[in-house]
Amino acid sequence: MRRLALLGAGLAAVLAAQPASALSLDEAVALARKTNPDLAQARAQADLAAAKLSEAQAQRLPSLALSGETGQGSIDLGGFFGFGKADVSPRAAQVELRAPLFTGGAVSAAIAAARAEREAATQSASGAAATLEVRVAEAYAGVQAADRLLDLARLGEAQTAEILRQARLRFDKGEVARTDVDQAAARQADARADLARATGEVARARAHFQAVVGVAPDTLEPVQAPATVAATLEDAQAQAERSNPQLRAAEAHLRAAEAGVRMAEAERLPNVALTAVGSSVEDKFFPGYKADGYSVGVQGRWTLFAGGAINARVAQAQAAARAARA
């Protein structure tokens, strides 16, 4: 039994002495993505834009509305129309089907604008993810660089301490002048200052890493070799223009703004819709009166004068398009 206890204690000591698994750069990026508020906001904006696109597309479909009311009361017509005092139970019910036939292009423009805004939000979310990856990589490499500089500073401090010790021994033997000892002491003071700065830089780098990633950088894997980059500046610029999410988002915002101009201009045109209405009514003023009916027809609306409001909205949309293009 005692041997088992000793064996268990030894195994626990060995496990405790083993270092924790090192955190890779990919794992650090994955952790940061789970907690970064900017990325979460960008993703929520993309979800919002997708919902707005669904709302815009729904404007093309027919709408069906049901309304109704009922009540209980008493009325006294005082003999008018041959009615006296009576209890009434008024009710009304109506169902209306409405299908747009012509909107002057407003619905199509709204869908185009919403689709472009969804693409812009998606690209912005991709850009936020890429920016976060860059921040994590910088923090990751910063911790390792700070640790390396700290090791070099410690080595330098130890070397200058040994140089100072040797200088003092040689001074005691009369082999060197006092100035050699003073110079060695000055170099050691500089090395100690470098060590203090390196220690502070390690603390700063580790705090920055934890702020970006969300965990402390206890053990990090070595930084991998960088991926192959473009050979020339022109190649790098061409690659960025093809894939940069911020540029893609700006282009999508421009398409959305141009669709906004078409939406505003559509207010100058008439709107036509097909309607079908069915109703059932029991009147509250004439006891016993009932009426049921239905109608199918076309309704239209055309704003001929709005005091300049439509022109102002068109001008606003055109200004927004110029800003997006810029």
Side-chain angles (χ1 to χ4, degrees):
M1 187 70 179
R2 185 171 180 272
R3 291 181 61 188
L4 291 176
L6 292 175
L7 181 60
L11 180 60
V14 171
L15 293 177
Q18 292 179 347
S21 59
L23 182 69
S24 68
L25 179 57
D26 291 339
E27 291 171 340
V29 170
L31 289 173
R33 285 179 173 177
K34 293 180 180 179
T35 58
N36 185 264
D38 294 334
L39 182 57
Q41 182 182 22
R43 288 172 173 171
Q45 291 292 339
D47 293 339
L48 175 61
K52 288 185 176 181
L53 175 58
S54 299
E55 179 185 11
Q57 291 172 334
Q59 297 181 35
R60 278 181 172 170
L61 302 177
S63 61
L64 182 64
L66 176 65
S67 61
E69 62 176 319
T70 185
Q72 186 71 35
S74 178
I75 189 171
D76 187 356
L77 296 178
F80 282 99
F81 307 107
F83 294 106
K85 185 176 181 181
D87 295 329
V88 292
S89 300
R91 64 172 178 82
Q94 177 175 289
V95 59
E96 179 180 11
L97 177 66
R98 184 180 182 87
L101 297 179
F102 178 74
T103 61
V107 173
S108 298
I111 293 175
R115 182 175 289 110
E117 288 295 351
R118 182 191 62 176
E119 181 181 350
T122 301
Q123 293 293 340
S124 295
S126 298
T131 300
L132 179 61
E133 289 182 10
V134 172
R135 292 180 58 199
V136 173
E138 289 177 343
Y140 193 96
V143 170
Q144 294 189 333
D147 288 341
R148 180 58 178 160
L149 289 176
L150 179 60
D151 291 339
L152 293 175
R154 287 170 176 168
L155 179 60
E157 196 275 336
Q159 290 175 343
T160 56
E162 178 62 21
I163 292 173
L164 177 60
R165 188 182 73 83
Q166 295 291 339
R168 285 171 176 170
L169 290 176
R170 296 181 66 188
F171 174 77
D172 293 339
K173 294 179 181 180
E175 297 179 356
V176 297
R178 181 68 185 179
T179 55
D180 292 339
V181 177
D182 293 339
Q183 290 176 356
R187 286 194 292 270
Q188 187 192 29
D190 290 339
R192 287 178 175 175
D194 291 340
L195 178 59
R197 285 192 291 269
T199 302
E201 182 60 25
V202 167
R204 187 206 65 79
R206 289 181 173 272
H208 178 63
F209 182 93
Q210 186 161 4
V212 173
V213 179
V215 297
D218 296 328
T219 307
L220 302 179
E221 289 184 358
V223 176
Q224 301 297 322
T228 303
V229 297
T232 65
L233 177 61
E234 290 75 12
D235 293 341
Q237 182 174 354
Q239 181 179 353
E241 290 177 351
R242 288 192 303 268
S243 60
N244 185 272
Q246 294 179 343
L247 182 58
R248 299 282 82 79
E251 292 172 346
H253 281 307
L254 173 58
R255 292 196 298 274
E258 291 172 343
V261 174
R262 298 196 298 272
M263 271 197 303
E265 291 175 341
E267 294 186 48
R268 294 169 173 166
L269 301 176
N271 284 272
V272 181
L274 175 66
T275 61
V277 180
S279 62
S280 178
V281 178
E282 184 171 341
D283 196 72
K284 65 180 179 180
F285 295 110
F286 297 97
Y289 174 81
K290 298 179 181 180
D292 299 326
Y294 72 91
S295 64
V296 177
V298 175
Q299 291 182 354
R301 178 182 176 83
W302 193 353
T303 302
L304 299 179
F305 179 74
I310 296 178
N311 292 337
R313 285 192 285 270
V314 171
Q316 291 175 20
Q318 290 173 342
R322 291 195 300 271
R325 185 175 296 106

